[in-house]
Amino acid sequence: MNNKKEKKKMGRRMRFRRTLSFLLAATMLFTPIQSGKTIIAAENKTLADYEEIVGSYSVDKSIPRYTIYKEGFNNVKPPDEYTIEANDYVYYTEGELDSNKKEIAAIPEELNDYEGMDGTSVIISETGFIEYEVDIKNAGFYDIALTYYPIEGKNSEIQRSFFIDGELPYDELALIEFSRVWSNNITETYLNEDGIPTKKWEKDNQGNDLKPTLYETPEWITSYLYDSNGFVINQLSVYFTEGVHKISMLSLREPMLLRRITLNNTTEVVDYKTKKAEWDGMNAKDTSGILVRVEAESVTKTSSQMLYPKQDQSSPAVYPSSTKELLNNTIGGNSWRLVGQWMEWDFEVPESGYYKIGFYAKQNFVRGIYVSRKITIDGNVLFNELSDYGFQYQSNWRFDTLMDENNDAYKIYLEAGNHTLRMQNVLGEFSSIIGEVQESLSKLNSIYRKIIRITGVKPDIYSDYQIEAKLPELEAELIDVHNQLDFAIKHLREVAGGSSDKEAVLVTMRDQLEDLIKDQEYFKKIVTSYKINVRAVGTWLSGAVSQPLQLDAIYIYSPDVDANISRSSFWSKLWYEICRLFYSFVIDYNQIGNVSERGKESHTITLWVGTGRDQANVIKSLIDETFTKRTGINVNVMLVDMGTLLQATLAGQGPDVAIQLNISNPTYNSAIQSSNDMPMNYGLRNAVADLSQFSDLKEVRERFFDSALVPFTYDNHTFALPETQTFPMMFYRKDILKELGLTLPQTWDDVKVIMSVLAKNQMEFGMLPNELNFLMLLNQYGGQYYNEDATKSALDSDEGINAFKEYCSLYTEYKLDKVTSVEDRFRTGECPIIIADYSVYNNFQVSAPDIKGLWGFAPVPGMRKEDGTINRNVASVGSACVIMESSKYKEDSWEFLKWWTSAEIQTLYGKEMESLMGASARVATANKEAFESLPWPSADYNALKKQFQSVVGTRQVPGGYFTWRNIDNAFYKVTTNTDSASARECLMDNIIYINDEINYKRKEFHMPLSND
């Protein structure tokens, strides 16, 4: 909230509401409230029931898609309008239960006349469920609009599910997104030497423009319900019969301040010809000699943090341009690719009349199809052609005037004065194509699972599997999906204006289906290529829904004006590239942002970043905006390969601070050792500083879970602070578990039962043999790597041996795959349950549209203890930040580490990375408070939080790199010699090597040896 006093009031109201909620549970079902309204418990269903519907709708065949839903009713759209005031709810809860496990009704917080909106508004929390009633007089389809205010949350899109009379009418209502509003912090503008209004961007001391900071500028918004996938372009409608109906809204992510719900029918948008005739009837005339230029990077508002000015040096015609400095001169590109994202620009025209609108744009991202934008002026789509305007592929920047299919420019009537132009990303005509391919993909995956249940994933080509006899419905299913793909291909050709490389994947899949329709037994020969083709269709789908467009400038100009783009000739481009080549030899591109010289008056520390330029730019921006301003300490940021850290330190060329140290892929066998032992090993060699020398270390340690600090602490010395922390979670396919009638396993005994069911269906439980997974079992058995004084291995204990036996048995007795990627097999359905690092969540969200809505994740299975509880302990892995012992500015470096690992900066960094690269770049921060601020959906956040409570740190010791290496050697000896190798004997033999290496290293560092 903007007003601090209002926040305090809200806090007091929240506490009052919680108290009153518990009192309500102890009273009757119907309880009068001060306002006179009655809280009525949701009939038959609880919040948990609605959450179950949202979690399983994608596998519930009784819930149709929107297009099929509409076909079931007459297309009647009454002119009536119904307004439901937010405070007229009949039921509200946040899912809290009383002592009898019954749901407690709650009272949402109400705000009066908030931010210029008259009347009473209701705050619906991130976990809230609210229900309203409406009495419909005339049956028909109604559009539903919400008037809401995006109050402070976690800065992500607001997500809700909608139910009518306790049911989900169609798939698309399971996830509706409501946008927030963002602006950048640069408001000062000036007329430059060319007379063009330009924002006064902040610059670093190298002359480069700095990326502006985006901040939320909330405002009251009225929005209809739209398909979050973009497959349906227009607003979603619901058919209401006459009588009283309940409209229920379930929160999935972020709180919302609701003012009202409106049911009505908007007038249909006419085509250009009709609209032009209407304007002509108003005696509208062409304007003359007017050209208004709006720099696209000077955007007024956006719907996403991802939409901020970019620096483009690809053409001298992009304005402003420089061959030396990086200037903010464009906006959009790959960050403007997601359906629903919009940007707004304000402009002013001096007189009323007809204008043309043009864009200096680049669409070299998607070949073979065009990208679409819905263009509105002052909140309205003026004519139908602007509801889906296409920008064709072209490799270079070009000037596009809004025009019809005959290349005649649209003349748009504008009144004199201020206007707002909005461009919103839509799928346009491709929406139906993509929807068909999405549905086809689900069917193709289903067919694949049916086939491998009979043949397995590696069938014998000489065997007769009698596929046609065992699957009599298969031929009809193949014909159905073949026809669906064929329709999509033909429609794609119509939209794209002919054949294109975009259709190649679909054609290959369709042609293979033709062969299979002729002979289903042919599956045994091509099941692998079938799987590859299905994956290719999934990849095609990921690319097709991406609609990037980059803009340099917007022109609003009179029909008699030639909007000429200067500096676009061949010779201009040639000279521009020559100058760029020259500066590439002069400029040090390893230096990021402001570069400071070390002097007596101001301290300057050197920071090494080992990830990528995008991350380094964000870090440098945060440093300049906050750290240097607050402390006066300058920081030079260097983008380097962290593999050279030790060598550079020994040569006296190392940094003062290194962050993001050793981020590795936790699916590799060496996950723990490669990521977590470097600070300890460097510390013992006096290469990194002992942070225990700083008096406030204890206070700083409170920022993290104890498990995150364990690997970086040795013998009361702390050699690093954690930055990220990840751990295994259990991912599961909802659709397949429902098909097989399975529930999620809670213990490893449950897993073994499920393995037998999966095996009968030619499927597997997926878990690769790596250190994280072994440590999970070791911790659950109560074992540990080393004895208490860390002088020898503790794997020879009963707990260690039993954990190793269990670990090996999963691959010998239950035949788990040891090599193939579990993520790939999870997508195909071969492994409907996998154990994987939780960061895989981001990959699935972004790169697996073929299984969207079909999967979830939960805490890992565990060991049931004597008291009935389940031990779900897991190990974690993460990156670290260190201060080099050679640094002359340790106090300044410590100030930097405290700043960098603080909740404020980790939250800002996480949001900046997500705004820059999307959800796939979500930072797995180790800071407890910052973790809570990440925009996880509430159900997923609760699963992560539950598993976080069982994360156990893994100690590092001198010579510890030998531990996993020898466990792994013992494991492969057991799993490759299943007839002769004993798990106990193989492990005990390798423990000798582990202890020998520990003793060797302890001697090297003059440490006492084990007494044994």
Side-chain angles (χ1 to χ4, degrees):
M1 308 299 292
N2 296 328
N3 190 307
K4 292 184 178 179
K5 293 182 179 179
E6 194 66 54
K7 280 187 178 180
K8 293 180 180 178
K9 290 180 181 178
M10 284 179 61
R12 291 195 294 268
R13 293 188 192 116
M14 287 288 285
R15 290 191 291 273
F16 171 74
R17 184 186 66 190
R18 301 272 184 185
T19 304
L20 192 55
S21 296
F22 283 101
L23 293 175
L24 282 168
T27 60
M28 299 182 302
L29 188 62
F30 301 98
T31 304
I33 309 301
Q34 289 181 355
S35 63
K37 69 171 62 118
T38 298
I39 290 184
I40 305 173
E43 295 178 5
N44 302 322
K45 287 187 174 71
T46 64
L47 184 145
D49 294 327
Y50 286 104
E51 289 177 337
E52 174 62 26
I53 294 173
V54 172
S56 62
Y57 78 92
S58 54
V59 297
D60 188 342
K61 295 182 180 179
S62 67
I63 302 175
R65 291 168 55 197
Y66 179 65
T67 52
I68 298 172
Y69 169 82
K70 287 196 71 176
E71 292 172 358
F73 302 95
N74 294 325
N75 190 26
V76 178
K77 295 186 175 182
D80 307 348
E81 179 170 295
Y82 301 90
T83 300
I84 307 170
E85 299 297 324
N87 63 333
D88 286 340
Y89 60 90
V90 296
Y91 182 70
Y92 179 78
T93 183
E94 294 185 355
E96 295 181 355
L97 306 177
D98 62 16
S99 58
N100 296 318
K101 303 296 182 182
K102 291 185 178 180
E103 189 173 271
I104 300 173
I107 300 177
E109 184 177 359
E110 298 180 355
L111 298 177
N112 294 315
D113 303 332
Y114 187 78
E115 292 292 334
M117 176 63 71
D118 293 338
T120 303
S121 304
V122 171
I123 294 179
I124 305 170
S125 76
E126 188 175 38
T127 58
F129 172 84
I130 197 163
E131 202 160 46
Y132 295 92
E133 287 186 349
V134 59
D135 188 2
I136 301 295
K137 303 302 180 184
N138 294 296
F141 280 101
Y142 290 87
D143 298 336
I144 301 176
L146 269 63
T147 299
Y148 72 97
Y149 189 91
I151 58 174
E152 184 177 359
K154 298 177 181 177
N155 303 120
S156 59
E157 288 79 8
I158 300 166
Q159 294 182 347
R160 295 293 184 268
S161 296
F162 288 84
F163 303 85
I164 307 300
D165 298 326
E167 303 296 333
L168 186 67
Y170 46 87
D171 283 0
E172 288 79 359
L173 286 183
L175 177 59
I176 303 295
E177 292 191 338
F178 299 92
S179 67
R180 294 180 176 275
V181 182
W182 298 86
S183 300
N184 65 57
N185 65 326
I186 306 299
T187 57
E188 185 179 351
T189 60
Y190 68 100
L191 289 177
N192 65 11
E193 62 275 12
D194 298 318
I196 298 173
T198 306
K199 284 200 172 186
K200 193 171 184 179
W201 307 108
E202 295 180 355
K203 294 180 178 289
D204 62 26
N205 60 9
Q206 305 300 297
N208 302 312
D209 286 348
L210 295 175
K211 182 182 79 67
T213 300
L214 269 71
Y215 62 96
E216 198 172 349
T217 52
E219 60 185 38
W220 284 103
I221 302 170
T222 296
S223 174
Y224 287 94
L225 310 188
Y226 287 93
D227 176 20
S228 60
N229 291 317
F231 300 159
V232 180
I233 302 175
N234 298 319
Q235 55 260 43
L236 301 172
S237 301
V238 174
Y239 190 89
F240 289 91
T241 57
E242 291 183 14
V244 177
H245 294 273
K246 284 188 177 179
I247 300 175
S248 308
M249 185 165 62
L250 173 68
S251 301
L252 303 178
R253 187 172 72 184
E254 296 283 28
M256 167 193 282
L257 180 61
L258 181 66
R259 176 60 189 87
R260 66 174 62 93
I261 300 175
T262 305
L263 276 62
N264 61 16
N265 280 295
T266 55
T267 56
E268 292 191 6
V269 180
V270 299
D271 61 12
Y272 173 69
K273 184 177 180 181
T274 304
K275 192 66 178 179
K276 179 68 163 51
E278 180 185 324
W279 286 329
D280 288 343
M282 297 164 50
N283 201 30
K285 303 294 183 182
D286 289 353
T287 58
S288 178
I290 299 172
L291 188 150
V292 177
R293 173 173 175 160
V294 180
E295 290 301 311
E297 64 272 14
S298 299
V299 63
T300 307
K301 297 175 184 175
T302 73
S303 63
S304 170
Q305 291 174 286
M306 296 172 66
L307 303 176
Y308 55 81
K310 298 292 183 68
Q311 300 160 335
D312 188 285
Q313 287 186 306
S314 62
S315 169
V318 175
Y319 188 89
S321 66
S322 171
T323 55
K324 182 181 179 182
E325 289 90 12
L326 298 173
L327 305 179
N328 293 332
N329 53 11
T330 67
I331 198 166
N334 200 50
S335 61
W336 196 18
R337 69 186 184 277
L338 303 179
V339 171
Q341 290 178 317
W342 54 260
M343 291 191 278
E344 281 186 356
W345 296 266
D346 293 335
F347 65 93
E348 182 180 1
V349 292
E351 64 180 71
S352 301
Y354 283 125
Y355 292 87
K356 294 180 182 179
I357 298 179
F359 306 90
Y360 196 53
K362 182 168 68 173
Q363 200 287 89
N364 65 347
F365 306 93
V366 183
R367 184 191 296 269
I369 62 175
Y370 60 79
V371 300
S372 301
R373 292 295 182 269
K374 178 167 75 174
I375 301 173
T376 65
I377 295 178
D378 300 327
N380 299 308
V381 178
L382 299 181
F383 44 89
N384 191 51
E385 288 82 350
L386 295 186
S387 64
D388 165 26
Y389 189 83
F391 292 84
Q392 298 288 347
Y393 175 88
Q394 189 171 321
S395 59
N396 299 316
W397 286 92
R398 81 300 182 100
F399 186 78
D400 276 357
T401 298
L402 297 180
M403 60 180 62
D404 62 19
E405 57 189 11
N406 298 318
N407 294 330
D408 294 326
Y410 294 127
K411 292 183 179 181
I412 296 173
Y413 178 76
L414 297 174
E415 292 281 354
N418 295 314
H419 297 275
T420 298
L421 183 146
R422 174 185 286 197
M423 298 179 72
Q424 183 172 4
N425 192 338
V426 294
L427 291 177
E429 288 190 72
F430 291 102
S431 60
S432 59
I433 300 171
I434 294 170
E436 291 291 339
V437 175
Q438 171 85 52
E439 190 172 342
S440 300
L441 188 58
S442 298
K443 294 175 181 177
L444 291 168
N445 276 320
S446 178
I447 290 170
Y448 176 73
R449 293 197 300 273
K450 288 181 179 180
I451 294 299
I452 64 171
R453 288 179 190 176
I454 297 172
T455 67
V457 294
K458 295 180 180 178
D460 179 3
I461 62 173
Y462 300 107
S463 296
D464 183 4
Y465 291 100
Q466 300 182 350
I467 294 175
E468 291 184 44
K470 293 177 180 177
L471 296 173
E473 75 285 359
L474 180 60
E475 183 176 357
E477 292 177 353
L478 289 170
I479 293 172
D480 176 51
V481 72
H482 169 273
N483 292 341
Q484 204 164 13
L485 279 177
D486 193 52
F487 169 81
I489 292 167
K490 291 176 180 177
H491 194 181
L492 179 61
R493 288 173 179 169
E494 292 174 4
V495 172
S499 298
S500 68
D501 59 350
K502 274 293 176 184
E503 68 181 50
V505 170
L506 304 182
V507 170
T508 301
M509 188 75 250
R510 182 200 62 185
D511 292 346
Q512 189 174 60
L513 289 172
E514 289 178 356
D515 295 334
L516 291 168
I517 291 169
K518 296 174 185 176
D519 179 15
Q520 285 100 71
E521 198 69 25
Y522 185 53
F523 256 118
K524 66 186 179 185
K525 296 181 179 179
I526 54 89
V527 68
T528 300
S529 66
Y530 177 90
K531 180 177 73 171
I532 293 171
N533 288 335
V534 172
R535 284 294 307 277
V537 173
T539 303
W540 180 94
L541 195 61
S542 299
V545 297
S546 177
Q547 300 271 299
L549 177 68
Q550 193 166 357
L551 295 180
D552 171 41
I554 302 171
Y555 295 82
I556 301 94
Y557 58 102
S558 300
D560 62 353
V561 170
D562 181 14
N564 186 38
I565 304 298
S566 61
R567 300 184 67 194
S568 58
S569 67
F570 168 79
W571 297 109
S572 296
K573 293 177 181 178
L574 178 62
W575 177 246
Y576 183 79
E577 292 301 327
I578 291 172
C579 292
R580 285 188 65 198
L581 178 64
F582 168 76
Y583 281 118
S584 69
F585 293 101
V586 176
I587 299 172
D588 182 3
Y589 290 103
N590 286 330
Q591 299 274 11
I592 305 294
N594 287 319
V595 179
S596 303
E597 297 293 333
R598 292 188 171 179
K600 295 181 179 179
E601 295 185 1
S602 62
H603 291 175
T604 299
I605 61 175
T606 299
L607 170 69
W608 277 18
V609 179
T611 45
R613 182 166 292 275
D614 289 328
Q615 290 87 341
N617 281 325
V618 170
I619 292 167
K620 181 58 177 174
S621 176
L622 290 172
I623 289 170
D624 291 341
E625 291 169 8
T626 59
F627 179 71
T628 300
K629 286 183 179 179
R630 294 176 188 175
T631 65
I633 301 170
N634 295 312
V635 182
N636 286 339
V637 178
M638 302 285 291
L639 183 61
V640 297
D641 177 5
M642 284 297 181
T644 64
L645 180 61
L646 186 59
Q647 297 93 316
T649 301
L650 293 174
Q653 300 296 317
D656 297 287
V657 181
I659 64 174
Q660 298 177 337
L661 200 61
N662 268 350
I663 296 179
S664 70
N665 187 334
T667 61
Y668 294 157
N669 284 358
S670 58
I672 294 290
Q673 295 292 354
S674 67
S675 276
N676 286 354
D677 70 341
M678 182 180 284
M680 185 271 300
N681 283 330
Y682 279 26
L684 294 178
R685 290 168 173 79
N686 294 319
V688 300
D690 178 10
L691 304 183
S692 304
Q693 63 186 283
F694 302 109
S695 59
D696 52 352
L697 174 64
K698 184 177 180 180
E699 178 184 340
V700 173
R701 288 174 64 102
E702 295 297 321
R703 300 173 177 177
F704 315 103
F705 289 98
D706 291 339
S707 56
L709 286 156
V710 168
F712 310 132
T713 303
Y714 183 79
D715 196 22
N716 296 321
H717 301 289
T718 300
F719 296 112
L721 292 180
E723 286 185 69
T724 62
Q725 185 179 17
T726 63
F727 45 82
M729 292 285 287
M730 177 171 62
F731 293 77
Y732 60 93
R733 287 282 298 269
K734 300 174 184 178
D735 53 339
I736 300 176
L737 294 190
K738 186 170 184 178
E739 284 177 12
L740 301 178
L742 297 175
T743 57
L744 280 180
Q746 300 301 314
T747 67
W748 288 101
D749 289 337
D750 296 339
V751 169
K752 292 171 183 176
V753 173
I754 285 177
M755 283 180 184
S756 62
V757 177
L758 295 178
K760 290 176 183 177
N761 291 277
Q762 301 293 335
M763 299 178 187
E764 280 189 356
F765 182 88
M767 188 176 83
L768 289 180
N770 60 49
E771 190 171 19
L772 278 176
N773 290 333
F774 171 71
L775 280 169
M776 172 176 60
L777 291 172
L778 180 64
N779 289 324
Q780 291 179 9
Y781 267 92
Q784 54 184 351
Y785 261 173
Y786 309 106
N787 62 2
E788 289 301 318
D789 55 3
T791 58
K792 58 174 291 189
S793 173
L795 291 172
D796 55 359
S797 65
D798 290 341
E799 294 82 2
I801 291 172
N802 289 335
F804 184 71
K805 285 181 178 179
E806 179 75 5
Y807 178 64
C808 292
S809 70
L810 293 173
Y811 300 89
T812 55
E813 297 178 23
Y814 295 94
K815 309 298 182 184
L816 297 190
D817 192 313
K818 296 180 289 186
V819 178
T820 314
S821 165
V822 291
E823 288 92 336
D824 289 344
R825 290 184 291 148
F826 184 75
R827 288 183 65 175
T828 61
E830 295 169 41
C831 291
I833 305 178
I834 64 171
I835 304 295
D837 187 82
Y838 89 70
S839 59
V840 171
Y841 176 99
N842 299 335
N843 299 337
F844 286 152
Q845 285 282 57
V846 175
S847 305
D850 47 317
I851 57 172
K852 184 175 182 179
L854 299 178
W855 61 274
F857 74 161
V860 300
M863 300 287 183
R864 193 173 297 279
K865 298 189 290 187
E866 293 181 359
D867 61 2
T869 60
I870 299 175
N871 179 350
R872 302 181 190 269
N873 286 353
V874 294
S876 64
V877 66
S879 60
C881 47
V882 298
I883 298 174
M884 306 310 295
E885 181 62 32
S886 58
S887 172
K888 297 179 181 178
Y889 304 99
K890 289 189 176 65
E891 289 293 337
D892 293 340
S893 299
W894 176 238
E895 288 300 318
F896 175 83
L897 282 195
K898 290 192 295 182
W899 169 86
W900 172 239
T901 59
S902 66
E904 175 197 1
I905 299 306
Q906 283 294 297
T907 300
L908 284 173
Y909 176 68
K911 290 176 179 178
E912 286 286 324
M913 289 309 304
E914 226 169 310
S915 71
L916 180 67
M917 302 171 70
S920 61
R922 182 168 297 165
V923 178
T925 179
N927 185 290
K928 291 186 287 187
E929 186 179 340
F931 174 77
E932 294 176 355
S933 300
L934 293 176
W936 293 97
S938 55
D940 296 335
Y941 169 75
N942 290 334
L944 278 172
K945 189 175 180 180
K946 184 176 180 181
Q947 185 62 74
F948 233 133
Q949 296 169 356
S950 299
V951 176
V952 178
T954 304
R955 287 189 297 166
Q956 299 297 328
V957 303
Y961 52 82
F962 246 49
T963 298
W964 174 242
R965 187 183 306 174
N966 280 278
I967 294 171
D968 208 33
N969 290 341
F971 167 78
Y972 279 101
K973 190 179 295 184
V974 173
T975 54
T976 54
N977 301 301
T978 54
D979 295 331
S980 58
S982 161
R984 174 187 286 271
E985 291 177 3
C986 289
L987 180 62
M988 295 299 288
D989 288 346
N990 282 272
I991 287 174
I992 296 172
Y993 301 124
I994 295 172
N995 287 332
D996 285 348
E997 187 65 20
I998 291 174
N999 286 335
Y1000 176 79
K1001 286 298 176 184
R1002 292 186 71 84
K1003 288 178 182 177
E1004 179 183 338
F1005 294 117
H1006 307 290
M1007 297 177 177
L1009 304 182
S1010 171
N1011 295 325
D1012 296 341

